[in-house]
Amino acid sequence: MYEAVAAATLPYMEHVPPPAEELALLDRELVRLDAHRLQLLNRRAWLLSVLRPPVAPPYGAPPARPPAGPFAWGPPSGAAPAGRAAPAAASSGVQNVLLVLGGLLLTIAAIAFTLFSWGEMGIAGRSAALAAVTAGALVAPATLLRRGLTSTAEALAALASVLMVLDAYALHAVAAPDTDGPAFSAVASAVLASVWTAYGLWLGRLRLPLPAAVVAGQLPLLLWAWAAGAPAVVFGWALLVTAAADVAVALRGRGLAVRVTAAVGASVTGLVALLIGLGLSVSAGAPPAAVGPGALLLAGAGLAVAGAWRAPQGWAVAAGVVAGLASVAAVGGVLRTGLPWDWAVLVHLLCGLALLLVLRLRIPRPVGRGVLAASAAVTAVALLWALPVVAAVLLGPVSVGADVWSGAPEGFREALGLSTAWPASAASPVVLVVVAAVLTALHSGWRRMPWTFVSPGPGWRIAAGAGAPVLAWGAVLALLAVSDVPYAVAVGVELLLVAGLLELAVRRAPGGASLTALVCGLVGAVGAGLLASAAEPATYVVFGGLLVLFAGAAARSGAGVVRSVPAVGSVLCAIVVASAAGASLGWTAPQAAPVVLVVPAVTVLLGARLRGAAVAAPLEAAGAFGALVAVGLAVTEAPFLALVLGLCGVLAAATAVRPERRPAAGRLAAVLFVLAAWVRMVASGVSDPEAYTLPVSVAAFAVGWLRRRRDPAASSWVTYGPALSITMVPSLVVAWADPGWLRPLLLGVAALVVTLVGARRRLQAPLVLGGSVLALDGLHELAPHVVQVFDTLPRWVFPALAGLLLLAVGATYEQRLRDARRVRESLGRMR
C-alpha cells in the first residue's frame, strides 16, 4: 500500500533546496561557465591565427613560425597570448627607427665625402671609393633579402639610390665639367630612371627603387627642353608626354606604391602642361598662334579621358572634368581670336554646351559625369559674367526714387543712373538667351533625353523649367540696357514683361515654375514702378496698368499664394495711384490722406464679398496698410489726423459687422474713435477735456451696462473700457501739464474709486485702467520731490541702491516669478 502511494505521489513532488544552498550552486555554475568561456575564446584566437593569410614581416624581421599543430583548448606552451603582440610591434618599430637613422647618417656622410673630401684623393682613389661603396650598396640587398632581412635591404637600397645621384654629380664635376648642366641632368635622370627600374624589377621585394624610378622619370624631357631653350609650348608637350608615360605606369605598373606615385606625377605634370596651354591660348592674338596651344589642350583632354577609362571612380570623375574644360579651352581659344572679350564668353559657352553631346556616347559613367560637370561649370561661369548687367538694371531704378516726377530721361541708361561699361557687355543678353533655350529644351525633352551617366530626379526638371523664364526675362532687361532704348520704350517693355510673367504664373500649375514667374513678375513690377516715378504721366500709366494686371491675375488664378500675392499687389498699386492723385491736385499730404482711404474702403467691401475665401485676409491686410499710409500722411496736421482716424474707425466698425471679424475689428474701432476724439480736442486747443469727454463716457458707460446685463459673459474691455478711457486718458494727459493740485487730486480719487470697484467686482478693464492712471498720477505728484531728493543724495548712493535691488530681485527671483504668474492668472480670470 505504501509503495503504491509513493509511486503515485513522487512524480508530483519537487525538491527545493534552501536559499543558502541554492546560492552556492549558482556560484559554482557561474564559475564553470566563465572557465568554459575563456577556453572558447582561446580556441577562437588560435583559429583566427591559422586562417589569417601570412603577411611579409616588415623591415627584415624574421618570419613568424607557423604553429606546430592544433592544440586542444589553448595556445601551445611558450606561445604568447594575443594580448601580448605589442612588444613585437614595439621591437619592430624600434628596428625601423634604428635602420632609418643609420641610413640617414650614412647618406649624410656620403654627401659630406663627395662635397668636401673629394679633392683630397686622386682620380683613381675617388673613382674606386665611390664605385666600391655604390656597388656594395647595390649588391648587399640581394644577399640580405635571401636571408629575410628585408628592412635592412630597404635601407641599403635607399643609400645606394643616394650614392648613384652623388656618382652622377661627381661624374659631371670631374669627368665632364664643361658639359651643359641641364643636358647632363636630363641624361643622368634618364639613366637613373632606367637603372632603378631594372634594379627594382630584379629585386622585386624592394619597395623603393620602382617609385624612385618613376620620380626620376619626371625630369628627362623637361630638362631636355630647358637645355634646348625650347619655347613654352615645347615645355607643355614635354610635360604632357611625361604625363602620358605616368598614366601608362599608373594603369599597368606593379605595386600600389608605383601606381600611386605615377598617378600623382601624371596629375602634376598634366595639369602644369594644361595650364601652359591655357596661358598661351588666352594670350594668342590670331588663329595660327592659338592652334598650337589648342592642340596641346586637346591632347591633354584625350590623355585625361584615356587615363580615366580604367581609373577608380573619384579619379575618373576628376579626369572627366579636366578633359571637358581642356577641350572647351582648346576649341574656344581658336574660335574666339579676333573677337572682343565679351563675345569670347559666348564662344566658350557654346563649346561648353557642346559637351552635352557626351550623353550620346558610350563611355564609362564616371567619365561622362565629369564631362557633364565641366559643361555645367562653363555655363555657370558664363552666367556669372552676364548677371551683373541684369543686377545693374534691377538696382538702377532705386536711384530714381529720390527724384520723383523730376522729368522723363531720354534713354534707359540715363534712367538707371549707373556708370556701367555697357559696350563691354553687349553679349550678355545672347548668353542669357542661349542658356534659357538650353534649359527649355531640357525641360521639354526631359523624358526623351538619354540620361546615360546621371539619373536626375524631378527636382532637376522643375529647376530647369523655372530657370528658363527667369533667364529669358533677364535677357530682355539686359538687351534694353545694352541697346539704350528710349525711356518710354523701356517702361512699356518692362510692363509687358510683367504681364507675360503673371500670365505664366497663372497658367502654370502651382509649383516651382509658377512661383518663380510670380516672383520675377513682382520684381519687374517694382522696377517698372520705380522707373515710372520719374515722370507724372508714366506713374499713372504704369501703376494703373499694374493695378489691372494684378487684379486680373488674382481673379483668374486659383486659391493659394498665386492668387493672394497679386491681390495684395493690386491694392498697393491702388494706394500709389490714390496718393499720386492727391499730389496732382496740388494737395498737401494731410489733405490727400482721406483720398487714400478710398482704397481701404474698397478692400472692406471686397472682404465682405469674398467672405470665407483665402484671399480675403491678405486683401484686408493690404487695405489696413493703406489706412496706415493715410494716417502717416495726415500725422503732421491734427485736424486731418482726427478726420482720418475717425474714418478709419468707421471702416473698422463696418468690418466688425461680420461675425468672424467682430472681436478684433470692434476693439480697433473703439480705439480709433477714442483717438480721433482726443486728437480733435488737442487740435481745438481744449484745456478742460472733461466737459467733452464726461457726457460721452456716461453714454458709453450706459451702453456698456446694458450690454453687460444682456450678456454677463461679455468682457469688461468691451463694455466699460471705452467709457473709462475716453475721460481718464485725456484728463491724465492734461493733468501732467497742469501746475495746479485740484485736477490731479480729483483724477487720483476717481482712479482710486475705479480701481476699487474693479477689484471688488472682479472686472479687468476698470482694475487695469484705474490702477495705471492712479500710478501715473501719483508719479506726477511725487516727481518734483523725487528730483529734489536725488539732487541732495551723494552720487554713490544710486549704484549702491541699484546693486541692492538686483541682489534682492535675484535672491527672490523664483518667488517674484510665482507672484507674477498668480497676478496674471487672477487678471485672466476677470471679465
Side-chain angles (χ1 to χ4, degrees):
M1 175 179 178
Y2 294 106
E3 294 177 357
V5 172
T9 56
L10 282 176
Y12 301 96
M13 297 178 63
E14 294 180 0
H15 172 66
V16 179
E21 182 179 355
E22 185 178 2
L23 181 61
L25 290 173
L26 291 176
D27 289 339
R28 287 195 294 271
E29 184 66 17
L30 289 174
V31 170
R32 189 182 67 80
L33 290 175
D34 288 339
H36 187 61
R37 182 175 181 274
L38 182 59
Q39 291 176 353
L40 293 176
L41 288 176
N42 290 334
R43 180 66 176 178
R44 180 179 180 276
W46 180 84
L47 292 173
L48 288 177
S49 65
V50 172
L51 295 176
R52 188 178 294 116
V55 181
Y59 297 99
R65 295 183 179 179
F71 44 88
W73 294 106
S77 60
R84 293 188 178 180
S91 62
S92 176
V94 172
Q95 178 191 13
N96 294 336
V97 171
L98 293 177
L99 289 173
V100 170
L101 288 177
L104 183 61
L105 291 175
L106 287 175
T107 303
I108 294 173
I111 294 173
F113 169 75
T114 304
L115 295 178
F116 302 109
S117 300
W118 188 259
E120 300 177 1
M121 302 176 62
I123 185 63
R126 288 177 287 185
S127 302
L130 271 181
V133 174
T134 304
L138 288 173
V139 174
T143 305
L144 294 174
L145 287 175
R146 285 196 296 270
R147 296 185 179 182
L149 302 176
T150 309
S151 297
T152 308
E154 290 281 0
L156 287 179
L159 177 62
S161 302
V162 176
L163 288 175
M164 293 177 71
V165 176
L166 295 176
D167 287 338
Y169 167 76
L171 183 62
H172 178 266
V174 176
D178 298 331
T179 307
D180 186 31
F184 184 86
S185 300
V187 175
S189 58
V191 172
L192 288 176
S194 302
V195 172
W196 285 339
T197 301
Y199 189 68
L201 294 176
W202 175 45
L203 300 177
R205 294 174 62 183
L206 293 179
R207 290 178 289 181
L208 180 63
L210 290 179
V214 173
V215 174
Q218 313 301 311
L219 302 176
L221 293 179
L222 183 63
L223 293 174
W224 170 80
W226 183 14
V233 67
V234 177
F235 274 91
W237 280 107
L239 289 170
L240 192 61
V241 172
T242 304
D246 290 334
V247 169
V249 175
L251 295 178
R252 300 184 179 275
R254 188 171 69 178
L256 180 61
V258 176
R259 291 196 296 270
V260 171
T261 306
V264 173
S267 301
V268 174
T269 54
L271 288 177
V272 173
L274 291 177
L275 288 177
I276 292 175
L278 179 62
L280 295 175
S281 177
V282 170
S283 60
V291 171
L296 177 62
L297 291 171
L298 283 180
L303 178 61
V305 173
W309 208 272
R310 294 176 52 190
Q313 182 173 357
W315 288 84
V317 173
V321 173
V322 172
L325 295 178
S327 59
V328 170
V331 180
V334 176
L335 296 179
R336 65 94 193 157
T337 53
L339 296 176
W341 278 107
D342 53 336
W343 293 102
V345 175
L346 177 61
V347 171
H348 285 85
L349 173 62
L350 295 176
C351 295
L353 294 176
L355 294 178
L356 295 176
L357 296 175
V358 76
L359 294 172
R360 302 283 183 178
L361 303 179
R362 293 185 178 181
I363 59 177
R365 291 173 61 91
V367 181
R369 291 177 182 176
V371 175
L372 291 179
S375 175
V378 173
T379 306
V381 171
L383 286 178
L384 289 177
W385 175 83
L387 286 181
V389 180
V390 181
V393 175
L394 293 177
L395 298 178
V398 177
S399 60
V400 183
D403 301 326
V404 178
W405 291 1
S406 59
E410 295 182 0
F412 188 39
R413 297 183 195 174
E414 183 183 351
L416 296 178
L418 294 176
S419 57
T420 305
W422 299 109
S425 306
S428 56
V430 185
V431 170
L432 295 172
V433 167
V434 169
V435 179
V438 171
L439 292 180
T440 303
L442 290 176
H443 179 266
S444 59
W446 194 267
R447 300 186 183 276
R448 300 188 300 273
M449 292 295 294
W451 299 112
T452 309
F453 311 112
V454 291
S455 300
W460 290 97
R461 185 172 184 268
I462 295 174
V470 175
L471 295 178
W473 169 61
V476 176
L477 294 180
L479 180 62
L480 294 177
V482 169
S483 57
D484 195 16
V485 298
Y487 171 76
V489 175
V491 174
V493 171
E494 289 203 14
L495 194 60
L496 292 177
L497 285 177
V498 174
L501 289 170
L502 291 178
E503 180 69 18
L504 182 62
V506 170
R507 286 185 174 274
R508 289 286 184 91
S514 177
L515 293 178
T516 304
L518 180 60
V519 171
C520 293
L522 293 177
V523 175
V526 173
L530 291 175
L531 281 178
S533 62
E536 183 177 357
T539 301
Y540 288 105
V541 172
V542 171
F543 282 99
L546 291 176
L547 171 61
V548 174
L549 291 176
F550 281 129
R556 295 174 54 199
S557 60
V561 178
V562 182
R563 187 179 187 186
S564 300
V565 173
V568 173
S570 63
V571 174
L572 297 179
C573 292
I575 294 172
V576 175
V577 171
S579 303
S584 298
L585 294 174
W587 295 346
T588 62
Q591 292 173 344
V595 179
V596 178
L597 287 179
V598 175
V599 178
V602 175
T603 60
V604 170
L605 296 176
L606 290 177
R609 178 69 176 82
L610 300 173
R611 181 180 303 179
V615 73
L619 197 66
E620 290 176 318
F625 175 76
L628 288 177
V629 172
V631 172
L633 292 175
V635 74
T636 56
E637 295 187 18
F640 284 99
L641 179 59
L643 174 62
V644 170
L645 290 174
L647 294 176
C648 291
V650 173
L651 295 178
T655 306
V657 174
R658 298 159 53 189
E660 70 275 9
R661 299 283 189 262
R662 184 169 299 162
R667 295 187 181 95
L668 180 61
V671 171
L672 289 173
F673 283 136
V674 172
L675 287 176
W678 294 346
V679 173
R680 182 68 260 179
M681 286 187 293
V682 172
S684 301
V686 175
S687 58
D688 296 324
E690 292 84 3
Y692 300 91
T693 58
L694 277 176
V696 179
S697 296
V698 171
F701 187 82
V703 173
W705 181 73
L706 293 175
R707 169 73 183 278
R708 185 79 176 177
R709 288 190 61 185
R710 294 181 179 180
D711 185 11
S715 173
S716 61
W717 289 100
V718 177
T719 54
Y720 302 129
L724 295 174
S725 59
I726 285 174
T727 298
M728 295 181 71
V729 176
S731 298
L732 178 64
V733 174
V734 177
W736 268 78
D738 191 353
W741 58 272
L742 181 59
R743 186 189 301 276
L745 177 61
L746 295 177
L747 179 61
V749 171
L752 178 62
V753 172
V754 171
T755 304
L756 295 177
V757 171
R760 178 69 180 84
R761 297 290 184 179
R762 302 184 62 79
L763 298 175
Q764 190 179 107
L767 178 62
V768 174
L769 287 175
S772 301
V773 172
L774 182 61
L776 293 175
D777 187 66
L779 180 62
H780 170 264
E781 295 302 314
L782 292 177
H785 304 287
V786 172
V787 171
Q788 185 178 4
V789 170
F790 280 176
D791 290 337
T792 57
L793 289 177
R795 294 187 177 182
W796 60 266
V797 173
F798 305 111
L801 293 176
L804 291 175
L805 178 62
L806 291 177
L807 288 176
V809 172
T812 60
Y813 176 75
E814 295 184 357
Q815 181 63 35
R816 302 286 80 79
L817 190 61
R818 287 193 293 268
D819 294 342
R821 288 173 180 171
R822 283 198 294 268
V823 171
R824 185 183 64 184
E825 293 173 358
S826 300
L827 286 175
R829 288 192 295 268
M830 292 182 179
R831 294 292 182 184

